[in-house]
Amino acid sequence: MKLIILGLASIIMASCGNNLPEIAPTLVTEKLPHDSDDPAIWINKENPEKSIVFGTNKDEVNGGVYAFDLDGKILKNKSITGLSYPNNVDVEYGFKINDSTETDIMVFSEREKHQIRMYSIPDMTPLDNGGFKVFADETNVEMKRPMGVSLYKNPKTDAISVFVSRKVGPVEGYLYQYGFTSDSLGVHTNLLRKVGKFSGTKEIEAIAVDDELGFVYYSDEGVGIRKFYADPKMGNEEIGLFGSKDFKKDIEGIAIATYPNGKGFIIVSNQQDHSFNFYNRSDNSYVKTLNLGTLETDGCDIVTTSLGKKFPNGLFVSMNDEKDFFYHAVDSLKLK
């Protein structure tokens, strides 16, 4: 009987495969206690080999945002636990606390408390007085539960804002964009706009912002990747929808690989195919699909600058549905 069960399991796993050659990870992180979801890479500009990968761990009582070093080991002194279902995480650089002080920041969603959190990096000091409530004007509790977050730093003004998606939302204005400001009383948020179409099927979780080119991308999971301007002053009209025919089922995590002169790639998880689709950053045309060995990937992130000897041309991190994250040296993706 055991042999029959094992045989059936092998057949099922084979049927889920994409028949693409697997590009093995450079390394796999230590496992988390609950359900891994979304990573974000913080570059230590003074010492790139000391850069940190943050990854969310979903649990309603003792969820966390765990910090990993570039060997995939958990940094307990940089990790945050005791959270109520942290979902997605992102980082940004140079948030102005006052005229003379600025800090890098990490923002993540805390779904069951209907809020987002902000911490400084690398000292991991909370800057949010316990959290910023989101979707506060909604009367339906289900529409208050945040999922995806992505930070945007306007290259012209240096103003930092965050896009937040949710578990359930309307067909118009699914995402809220909040601006961050700081004064003598602390850090505050203000609602800048409600933006983003929704097909009405599945949900919207994954968001990514291209600061340099000024676009925000998000996965309308059953339809495609939608594209809008990140700057509210540019308007709320959709300027692109792509990838509609390129996915097996759910369209998930998004990472943006940036190179000079607007070149690079939009990388999107083809979740049930256990693969990633690559699109040109310039015109969003399809380029290729890669099998990186992960299962049911929710979130991913990439940096294309050197992080030292192990990752001389950058690092791609993706969630794996076995309570961990995969690290791939960017060289192995053959983006150039």
Side-chain angles (χ1 to χ4, degrees), residues 18 20-21 23 225 242-243 246-247 255 257 259 264-270 273-281 283-292 302 316 329-336:
N18 48 47
L20 294 170
I23 299 173
I225 302 104
F242 60 95
D246 302 332
F247 293 83
Y259 290 101
F265 302 90
I266 312 298
I267 307 169
V268 187
S269 169
N270 190 350
D273 190 57
H274 315 295
S275 63
F276 296 87
N277 289 339
F278 288 68
Y279 300 87
N280 274 314
R281 184 181 174 214
D283 61 8
N284 304 144
S285 59
Y286 172 82
V287 178
K288 63 181 179 180
T289 298
L290 294 180
N291 172 8
L292 302 182
I302 190 170
F316 180 73
V330 164
D331 311 68
S332 69
L333 309 184
K334 298 180 179 179
L335 299 184
K336 289 185 175 181

Side-chain angles (χ1 to χ4, degrees), residues 40 78 113 137:
K78 303 293 184 184
K113 289 189 176 180
D137 59 337

Side-chain angles (χ1 to χ4, degrees), residues 72-92:
K73 304 299 183 183
I74 293 174
L75 301 169
K76 292 183 179 180
N77 65 328
K78 303 293 184 184
S79 299
I80 305 163
T81 56
L83 301 172
S84 185
Y85 217 87
N87 212 127
N88 280 32
V89 61
D90 199 12
V91 301
E92 190 56 271

Side-chain angles (χ1 to χ4, degrees), residues 33-48:
H34 303 295
D35 182 14
S36 58
D37 192 284
D38 185 54
I41 306 165
W42 173 72
I43 302 170
N44 185 328
K45 295 179 180 178
E46 295 182 358
N47 187 352

